[in-house]
Amino acid sequence: MKKKRVTTRTLMKYKRTGRKIVMVTAYDYPLAKYADEVGIDVLLVGDSLGMVVQGQDSTIPVTLEDIIYHSKIVARAAKRALVVADMPFLSYQVSVEDAVRNCGRVMKETGVQAVKVEGGEEVVEVVEALTRWGIPVMGHIGLTPQKIHRYGGYRIQGRTESERARLLKEAKMLEEAGIFSLVLEAVPYELAKEITESLSVPTIGIGAGPYTDGQVLVIHDLLGFYEEIQPRFVKRYAELAKIIREALQAFQQEVLEGKFPTLEHSYRLEEFEQRQEDS
Ligand code: KIV
């Protein structure tokens, strides 16, 4: 039976009814398929792929073509989840016209159902234009990794009274501009709670504590697949890197010792001769 797709309306309903929203990042077919199969609500083709897939030290180098490539793959795998493409650095900052063209391209070419843009006041006009043209937008405030060099590192946001006031104001402005949900990254949980309670659209937290409407983690982090950085807010639900290393070492050892392949993993001429006789 065909599964009913999660939509932006579903997420609004979840907020109203208190059902938590679950989101993970996804970049490839198998992981996107597993996440979709277990019923994860939202798959984000995050620009975090720059770090966890490409091995870059930030998300800045990720290109529009990278996001289009991975979004097509994830959209192909997702039968139920809402798929959101994360717009990369410089694909929506230059002008509103440029943003509409680039986000429109992503929607048209990939099969995702929404886009995400980072930023507060500075993206309000872009959000208004995109929603006017029917492109659903997820906002993202707090620690916005595309501004990493301005922050001077991955710093928790909303530490001071004025930062907290700004983030609250920006959340409201983005809601008024038309976002359907808002990612809150690396902010104190008290602030995340206040923002969540002040909005009618759902908030999805990462490093923002337990009081947001949903939670997101980078899939490579939660699976223990990416070991380079482990912020406090990451909980590992598996140790894939360890399992992979062990499997590769076992394969290597068996090949070197002549234990793999055995005849069990080999084709025998006799089988084909028998089949030919039977046909
Ligand atoms: O790119 C990404 O993975 C993200 C999440 C951390 C929300 O933006």
Side-chain angles (χ1 to χ4, degrees):
M1 201 174 65
K2 203 164 175 265
K3 288 180 186 158
K4 204 163 168 237
R5 174 83 64 182
V6 174
T7 66
T8 56
R9 285 167 62 92
T10 320
L11 302 188
M12 293 293 279
K13 188 178 88 192
Y14 288 169
K15 164 131 188 160
R16 280 197 309 276
T17 58
R19 147 72 153 85
K20 290 277 186 185
I21 296 163
V22 189
M23 172 160 118
V24 295
T25 62
Y27 322 99
D28 62 44
Y29 188 84
L31 288 183
K33 184 167 172 283
Y34 303 147
D36 189 65
E37 279 170 2
V38 303
I40 300 289
D41 302 309
V42 187
L43 300 183
L44 172 69
V45 186
D47 62 354
S48 48
L49 71 87
M51 299 173 79
V52 301
V53 176
Q54 298 175 341
Q56 317 260 20
D57 61 8
S58 80
T59 61
I60 308 281
V62 175
T63 65
L64 186 60
E65 301 310 321
D66 293 334
I67 291 293
I68 289 177
Y69 174 84
H70 288 277
S71 295
K72 279 185 191 171
I73 294 170
V74 172
R76 198 174 299 137
K79 306 291 176 241
R80 172 186 172 272
L82 177 82
V83 184
V84 182
D86 203 6
M87 296 305 293
F89 182 61
L90 230 54
S91 67
Y92 57 93
Q93 288 91 340
V94 177
S95 68
V96 172
E97 193 185 315
D98 205 37
V100 173
R101 185 172 301 113
N102 289 332
C103 294
R105 233 194 106 189
V106 168
M107 296 293 292
K108 211 173 153 82
E109 295 179 24
T110 68
V112 302
Q113 288 87 35
V115 298
K116 175 167 86 57
V117 296
E118 291 183 9
E121 195 165 359
E122 70 279 19
V123 295
V124 162
E125 257 189 273
V126 165
V127 173
E128 280 168 354
L130 293 172
T131 46
R132 194 177 327 123
W133 291 113
I135 300 177
V137 187
M138 177 179 276
H140 182 162
I141 60 171
L143 196 169
T144 46
Q146 291 175 15
K147 295 204 180 91
I148 187 71
H149 298 306
R150 199 186 78 193
Y151 302 140
Y154 293 97
R155 296 187 77 247
I156 308 300
Q157 301 296 298
R159 295 164 184 246
T160 63
E161 190 62 52
S162 68
E163 266 184 27
R164 286 194 289 281
R166 176 180 54 80
L167 288 167
L168 255 168
K169 185 175 129 209
E170 290 189 326
K172 265 293 185 211
M173 289 174 88
L174 289 169
E175 173 167 80
E176 277 157 26
I179 55 164
F180 70 88
S181 65
L182 180 63
V183 170
L184 298 176
E185 179 164 354
V187 293
Y189 72 83
E190 297 91 336
L191 174 65
K193 183 171 186 280
E194 197 177 346
I195 293 176
T196 300
E197 286 168 359
S198 74
L199 298 184
S200 58
V201 295
T203 58
I204 302 181
I206 174 162
Y211 305 114
T212 51
D213 299 304
Q215 294 293 328
V216 54
L217 280 179
V218 168
I219 198 160
H220 286 48
D221 288 341
L222 83 90
L223 294 177
F225 197 15
Y226 179 77
E227 297 175 315
E228 256 86 326
I229 310 171
Q230 196 186 351
R232 187 199 303 185
F233 60 74
V234 169
K235 180 170 174 186
R236 282 196 191 157
Y237 291 84
E239 295 294 344
L240 279 202
K242 188 167 167 277
I243 294 171
I244 291 168
R245 270 191 217 102
E246 283 167 5
L248 292 172
Q249 278 165 349
F251 170 64
Q252 184 184 39
Q253 200 172 335
E254 289 202 357
V255 171
L256 292 175
E257 290 173 1
K259 289 186 177 160
F260 177 85
T262 59
L263 292 187
E264 185 199 341
H265 293 101
S266 309
Y267 302 104
R268 191 190 299 264
L269 203 51
E270 221 176 63
E271 294 170 41
F272 301 110
E273 286 166 355
Q274 187 63 47
R275 267 186 229 157
Q276 259 169 2
E277 274 170 29
D278 295 345
S279 63

